[in-house]
Amino acid sequence: MLKISWTGAALILAHIWPSVYALDPLEHINLFIGTINGGHTFPGATVPHGLVKVGMDTDSPGNHAGYDGDPSWNVTGFSELHQSGTGGQVPLSNFKIFPIHNCSVFEQCLTTIEERKISRSVLADGSPDDFASPGYFATNLSNSIRVELTATRRTALHRYTFPIDSTTPRILLDVTNDGQLSASDITMLIDPDTGRMTGSGSFANSFGKDRYHAYACVDFDQKPFEYGPYKINYADLWGTDIHQHYYTWGYEHGGLVGFQSSGVDVTTILVRVGISLISVDQACSNAEEEIPNFDFESVVRDSEDQWRDILSRVQVEAEGVDEDTVTLLYSSLYRTHVAPADFSGENPGWVSDEPYWDALYCNWDTYRTLFPLLSLHDPVNFASVVRGMIDIQRHEGWLPEGREMGTQLYIQGGSHGDPILADFFVKYQHYAEKLGVSADNLYAALLADAEDTPPNWNVQGRQADAWKEYGYIPSDTTFRGGANTKQVSRSIEYAFNDFTISQVSKALGHSEDAVKYAARAQNYLNSWNGNVSMPERSNVTGFFQPKFMNGTWNYTDPRHCSVNDPTKSTCFLNAIRRDGFYETSPIVYSQYVPHDTAKLIELQGGVDSFVERLDFMFENNYFDSTNEPSQQIPYMYHYADKPGRTAERVRETISFWFNTSRNGLPGNDDSGAMGSYVFFYLAGLYPLPGTKQFLLSSPYFPSISFFNPLFNTTTSIVSHNFGGGNIYVEGVKVNGEAYKSNCFLEWEVFMKGSTVELELSSNREVGCGQDGLPPSLSTGGYD
Ligand SMILES: *[C@@H]1O[C@H](CO)[C@@H](O)[C@H](O)[C@H]1NC(C)=O
Ligand SMILES: *[C@@H]1O[C@H](CO)[C@@H](O)[C@H](O)[C@H]1NC(C)=O
Ligand SMILES: *[C@@H]1O[C@H](CO)[C@@H](O)[C@H](O)[C@H]1NC(C)=O
Ligand SMILES: *[C@@H]1O[C@H](CO)[C@@H](O)[C@H](O)[C@H]1NC(C)=O
Ligand SMILES: *[C@@H]1O[C@H](CO)[C@@H](O)[C@H](O)[C@H]1NC(C)=O
Ligand SMILES: *[C@@H]1O[C@H](CO)[C@@H](O)[C@H](O)[C@H]1NC(C)=O
Ligand SMILES: *[C@@H]1O[C@H](CO)[C@@H](O)[C@H](O)[C@H]1NC(C)=O
Ligand SMILES: *[C@@H]1O[C@H](CO)[C@@H](O)[C@H](O)[C@H]1NC(C)=O
Ligand SMILES: *[C@@H]1O[C@H](CO)[C@@H](O)[C@H](O)[C@H]1NC(C)=O
């Protein structure tokens, strides 16, 4: 079969993508959603999955993406490297460029981060005078300097427009101040002939224990008349806001250049910043290659074209739908394509021809909805990520779980590279070779996760030895190799991971393995304690609970880590925790076995008590939209043949938690995990990663379609009787034929390119149809 390279694949697709769009998604995107209130989203300029994400940095404590939508936080610079929507420590935020307004004496310029920071202009409604659209960001500083930013994959282009009365416009490159002030091993050079500045350093990653190296190459579109390094002792800052100290730490260091003002008009200076993880030379060649002339408008246009190409693959009919809903859909889709990032050519670890992907932050968040969304409209990037992950496994022994600038990040749950690879493979098995994915290497990578115990399961692989020996992760293991925490969550996640491996085994015809991993997928049963009840609600019985090596149980209150937890605990990463749960309460986890819900219903005493429990969770705020294990909960009613309740819970969830305001996200976006989950809710779909099924409900649009550029097919979901209270799916037709279920669609429907017609009604009691329940491991259907 034709084997195409990574760049070859991009070229082929460019030919088959139709050039006429019904609706331009770029007109329906708000990049400021989630920029206050802990959403930590990145509103700056980037291409889809770009390494460089150039944007504003502020002194906000919530500056994880540099930016803060609240203008009372001041600007500290404009840097090239960011994440979007992360928790942990403040990531990246290097290297900062800063315009100095009007400083006539070089030595007297205010260069330290504390001295130079400045407020933004504020509009009449109190919001900052900032503008953002895909590929472009602009702000007006209170000293009347206008800043505009755009980017290619590895290079940023900044445009600074100084006011007429600015006699000595200057630009500063700050090498040391990353988001954590963690720099060491700094280099900084200025070429006196051109003003080119190069800088590099070592910095702390934001959710792990390793440090990364980064390199920058800064050029100007004009020659400075004055230049030099600045180096300022941090002594003045001692005891203020310093998080980390390293041995060479102690200075703020960078370069400062000055330009002649035009005298009669505003002075505009273009600054091009190439970035590399390899060397300053490579940073310079990246910049020269990607932005050879300093044509700001053409870089913006190219970036917009890339965004339009990818986002236009989803089209909606928006008639009768309010603009906020359209904007919520496309803004959410946009954030699905910010991370992970294509770092090909920038792997600091080893030389390989394979693509290299980074900003995997983290698989725990993204495996559930982000990658399944890529499967619908972006198979080439999906395949490329899978190739990159397999290449990492071949060099490090295990699939990556979280990755930042070539370093490993902490694992949150199971080994979630597995469902990502499985989701790709079960859907694209027959195209894997064409997309450059080796089925053998993919399978070997899955088996390594499943069978080999890594030296440190905090950062790669899983606690495979205990899992194989006990069939659960005991609360009191004495195994070495990682933190003995989140044991119950890990047990349930490992079971799901093994389920997805069994799906791949089956697809490959490895039937013994398929049976083996399907059996291990049922290990979640080992953590089910049918004797534990909800305090003050004795008829809500049966929970996942921590279990010791000797088979006896420990006890974790089902309310633990929920809003109703009397001890107000939180279940985040913490090496001393013994409660067993991560990012959610036992009551939520006990409602979420995505691959075997039929069995869970049985464990909970049947459909009625299962539904009663779901209702109880929603009515008492146990459902927690901010953390991933809750994301599928509204769709769990499907398995009880009550898809009408799903449609209602989905609408409650969206209207209560998500909107297009700056505070329109209830928590971190988690690198697009929230974005992709909201997208699915609005599209009336929910994915089951590692399977060929999508749960189906009613979309928010009379029609929504997905173009798959690999198959050159479009699948449209069209709703009849759309509007009003008609949110219940009464019947489904695919290409004119009655479909087997009202509650799920098979992958085949999307692969072939189909017209799916939904008959909507106001009858909330309609079910999934005869034999229409979605599959479960114990009742079959995952074929
Ligand atoms: C893709 O499909 C369209 C019709 O849906 C067709 O016009 C076009 O030629 C196809 N492109 C390729 C490359 O097959
Ligand atoms: C931002 O700067 C302005 C003055 O330019 C100052 O009044 C304000 O307090 C600063 N904000 C913070 C959060 O430091
Ligand atoms: C900039 O500096 C020049 C010379 O020192 C001064 O005349 C001018 O007023 C300053 N402009 C601003 C906006 O501060
Ligand atoms: C900044 O000011 C310019 C005029 O100088 C204006 O055109 C622009 O809309 C303002 N806002 C932004 C974000 O660029
Ligand atoms: C639940 O309690 C009963 C009666 O005490 C006991 O027989 C059974 O083994 C217990 N089950 C579990 C899972 O602990
Ligand atoms: C469980 O108890 C609650 C009150 O605590 C009651 O409203 C509900 O009907 C009971 N459910 C069943 C199935 O008995
Ligand atoms: C089982 O192990 C736990 C924790 O190590 C211990 O507290 C308990 O006494 C043990 N129970 C039995 C029956 O050995
Ligand atoms: C049992 O659970 C409690 C509460 O989470 C915890 O404090 C204790 O350390 C656990 N015991 C063991 C042996 O893990
Ligand atoms: C947007 O959602 C947030 C919660 O995520 C809420 O606090 C805020 O009030 C909502 N804003 C609007 C305009 O609905």
Side-chain angles (χ1 to χ4, degrees):
M1 213 186 256
L2 173 70
K3 178 144 178 158
I4 46 182
S5 71
W6 162 230
T7 43
L11 283 176
I12 289 172
L13 294 181
H15 287 294
I16 59 172
W17 170 234
S19 55
V20 182
Y21 309 116
L23 172 153
D24 184 356
L26 268 57
E27 288 167 14
H28 306 275
I29 290 176
N30 181 342
L31 295 183
F32 292 112
I33 297 172
T35 56
I36 58 174
N37 222 24
H40 297 171
T41 50
F42 171 74
T46 181
V47 295
H49 304 284
L51 182 159
V52 161
K53 301 188 200 332
V54 59
M56 174 192 289
D57 292 334
T58 63
D59 57 1
S60 160
N63 64 351
H64 288 62
Y67 189 79
D68 194 303
D70 175 351
S72 59
W73 302 109
N74 289 329
V75 181
T76 57
F78 299 90
S79 68
E80 284 67 38
L81 294 170
H82 292 99
Q83 305 284 10
S84 186
T86 60
Q89 301 289 311
V90 177
L92 311 177
S93 305
N94 36 4
F95 297 87
K96 297 188 206 312
I97 301 292
F98 195 81
I100 294 186
H101 173 225
N102 202 30
C103 163
S104 51
V105 182
F106 188 97
E107 292 73 21
Q108 290 173 6
C109 298
L110 303 180
T111 53
T112 70
I113 195 165
E114 279 301 320
E115 290 169 337
R116 72 186 187 226
K117 61 187 186 182
I118 179 143
S119 56
R120 284 165 272 178
S121 298
V122 177
L123 300 171
D125 69 355
S127 65
D129 189 6
D130 299 336
F131 176 85
S133 62
Y136 177 76
F137 178 91
T139 186
N140 287 319
L141 301 177
S142 57
N143 59 10
S144 300
I145 298 178
R146 180 152 192 230
V147 183
E148 296 164 282
L149 307 170
T150 188
T152 56
R153 184 166 72 91
R154 292 180 285 185
T155 308
L157 192 58
H158 305 228
R159 183 160 68 186
Y160 295 95
T161 305
F162 291 79
I164 295 178
D165 62 358
S166 182
T167 52
T168 317
R170 294 183 186 277
I171 302 283
L172 163 159
L173 162 68
D174 172 345
V175 184
T176 42
N177 289 307
D178 65 314
Q180 294 181 53
L181 308 181
S182 68
S184 69
D185 302 316
I186 290 303
T187 69
M188 221 292 296
L189 284 173
I190 306 181
D191 178 340
D193 293 330
T194 60
R196 168 175 278 186
M197 296 194 273
T198 56
S200 74
S202 157
F203 307 91
N205 75 8
S206 61
F207 195 62
K209 57 181 175 26
D210 292 338
R211 296 175 66 77
Y212 64 90
H213 278 87
Y215 303 86
C217 177
V218 181
D219 290 301
F220 304 96
D221 67 330
Q222 51 203 274
K223 193 169 153 43
F225 80 94
E226 198 182 19
Y227 54 83
Y230 70 85
K231 188 172 187 182
I232 289 146
N233 202 312
Y234 263 5
D236 299 348
L237 298 179
W238 276 97
T240 54
D241 192 27
I242 308 300
H243 310 307
Q244 295 212 22
H245 295 203
Y246 283 91
Y247 59 100
T248 59
W249 177 88
Y251 292 92
E252 288 197 56
H253 192 21
L256 179 65
V257 294
F259 299 88
Q260 301 291 2
S261 101
S262 76
V264 292
D265 200 352
V266 298
T267 306
T268 297
I269 297 164
L270 286 149
V271 187
R272 181 183 71 186
V273 187
I275 296 289
S276 173
L277 275 65
I278 307 294
S279 66
V280 289
D281 287 349
Q282 185 155 324
C284 294
S285 59
N286 288 345
E288 286 160 4
E289 208 175 283
E290 294 181 6
I291 308 185
N293 42 40
F294 289 67
D295 185 345
F296 193 89
E297 266 68 35
S298 105
V299 175
V300 173
R301 264 196 316 276
D302 280 0
S303 177
E304 286 176 351
D305 287 348
Q306 290 182 48
W307 279 111
R308 199 169 273 122
D309 172 51
I310 225 162
L311 302 178
S312 297
R313 295 173 195 172
V314 174
Q315 286 288 328
V316 293
E317 194 188 307
E319 239 180 82
V321 179
D322 60 46
E323 175 54 31
D324 271 355
T325 306
V326 182
T327 299
L328 188 59
L329 182 91
Y330 280 110
S331 306
S332 302
L333 182 61
Y334 174 93
R335 295 203 309 276
T336 301
H337 293 287
V338 174
D342 181 0
F343 275 45
S344 296
E346 299 297 335
N347 180 355
W350 57 91
V351 176
S352 168
D353 292 334
E354 285 299 283
Y356 183 65
W357 285 75
D358 199 280
L360 298 165
Y361 208 128
C362 301
N363 292 357
W364 159 268
D365 300 306
T366 52
Y367 87 83
R368 301 164 209 262
T369 50
L370 187 143
F371 287 100
L373 180 48
L374 295 191
S375 81
L376 287 177
H377 70 287
D378 196 12
V380 172
N381 277 322
F382 193 6
S384 182
V385 176
V386 165
R387 283 172 62 177
M389 289 179 59
I390 292 171
D391 198 51
I392 290 174
Q393 187 277 327
R394 286 166 65 77
H395 285 83
E396 296 184 351
W398 290 270
L399 288 167
E401 284 299 316
R403 210 157 179 97
E404 180 171 72
M405 300 293 281
T407 66
Q408 296 176 328
L409 305 182
Y410 294 131
I411 293 181
Q412 291 164 277
S415 46
H416 299 311
D418 306 346
I420 295 171
L421 266 56
D423 197 58
F424 172 79
F425 198 75
V426 299
K427 291 171 180 162
Y428 288 98
Q429 174 175 16
H430 302 298
Y431 301 84
E433 191 180 341
K434 183 174 173 186
L435 292 166
V437 176
S438 153
D440 289 346
N441 291 346
L442 180 142
Y443 197 55
L446 294 176
L447 295 191
D449 271 356
E451 299 298 327
D452 304 343
T453 307
N456 180 357
W457 68 71
N458 291 340
V459 291
Q460 58 183 182
R462 52 163 121 152
Q463 203 176 348
D465 48 6
W467 179 239
K468 287 191 282 188
E469 183 170 348
Y470 295 94
Y472 57 96
I473 299 301
S475 287
D476 54 344
T477 58
T478 53
F479 295 87
R480 289 158 195 267
N484 182 25
T485 59
K486 43 190 166 60
Q487 302 90 344
V488 185
S489 295
R490 285 194 286 136
S491 300
I492 299 162
E493 298 283 343
Y494 290 172
F496 179 72
N497 299 154
D498 283 344
F499 163 72
T500 66
I501 295 174
S502 78
Q503 293 301 104
V504 175
S505 307
K506 195 155 62 175
L508 284 169
H510 300 316
S511 40
E512 267 179 43
D513 282 359
V515 169
K516 169 182 166 181
Y517 291 112
R520 276 170 50 166
Q522 279 173 326
N523 279 349
Y524 69 88
L525 289 167
N526 297 332
S527 296
W528 185 262
N529 185 336
N531 285 353
V532 169
S533 297
M534 199 75 195
E536 293 156 24
R537 181 89 183 211
S538 60
N539 62 2
V540 177
T541 299
F543 288 94
F544 289 121
Q545 287 286 295
K547 198 176 194 177
F548 296 119
M549 281 188 284
N550 61 22
T552 67
W553 297 97
N554 200 352
Y555 173 73
T556 298
D557 186 325
R559 298 167 300 181
H560 188 65
C561 296
S562 74
V563 290
N564 303 314
D565 180 355
T567 68
K568 306 276 175 240
S569 307
T570 54
C571 286
F572 298 118
L573 272 193
N574 183 331
I576 59 162
R577 242 181 241 302
R578 286 286 185 276
D579 48 35
F581 290 87
Y582 185 66
E583 277 197 358
T584 196
S585 55
I587 184 164
V588 170
Y589 243 122
S590 303
Q591 212 69 15
Y592 176 59
V593 178
H595 55 295
D596 204 5
T597 308
K599 185 71 186 174
L600 191 63
I601 291 174
E602 195 187 312
L603 290 172
Q604 295 190 356
V607 165
D608 290 345
S609 51
F610 180 77
V611 169
E612 197 174 300
R613 251 171 105 138
L614 283 169
D615 289 341
F616 172 75
M617 286 168 58
F618 282 101
E619 283 153 18
N620 295 281
N621 297 318
Y622 285 103
F623 169 68
D624 170 8
S625 186
T626 65
N627 283 318
E628 280 68 19
S630 278
Q631 290 178 346
Q632 194 179 318
I633 301 293
Y635 266 89
M636 286 311 218
Y637 290 96
H638 266 52
Y639 294 89
D641 204 20
K642 299 236 177 298
R645 300 294 191 282
T646 299
E648 293 164 10
R649 293 300 184 199
V650 159
R651 278 158 180 79
E652 280 170 31
T653 302
I654 293 292
S655 66
F656 193 76
W657 297 105
F658 299 96
N659 55 56
T660 56
S661 312
R662 281 176 291 169
N663 67 352
L665 278 179
N668 299 342
D669 189 49
D670 284 326
S671 305
M674 288 284 163
S676 49
Y677 135 61
V678 167
F679 179 94
F680 274 120
Y681 277 22
L682 297 178
L685 294 168
Y686 197 85
L688 299 165
T691 77
K692 289 195 263 193
Q693 285 80 28
F694 288 85
L695 301 178
L696 174 68
S697 184
S698 54
Y700 276 58
F701 304 90
S703 139
I704 180 164
S705 66
F706 299 87
F707 173 70
N708 184 317
L710 180 70
F711 302 146
N712 190 28
T713 58
T714 299
T715 296
S716 304
I717 302 176
V718 180
S719 296
H720 300 300
N721 308 324
F722 179 86
N726 297 341
I727 59 167
Y728 308 104
V729 179
E730 181 112 46
V732 178
K733 279 186 186 165
V734 173
N735 296 330
E737 301 281 318
Y739 195 63
K740 63 182 177 184
S741 172
N742 296 337
C743 285
F744 71 99
L745 292 173
E746 298 281 354
W747 170 243
E748 197 187 23
V749 169
F750 292 94
M751 204 167 132
K752 286 188 176 152
S754 309
T755 301
V756 179
E757 290 172 86
L758 306 183
E759 197 63 36
L760 300 187
S761 82
S762 59
N763 175 11
R764 69 190 299 244
E765 300 306 332
V766 288
C768 293
Q770 203 185 345
D771 302 323
L773 286 184
S776 281
L777 186 57
S778 35
T779 51
Y782 287 121
D783 302 317

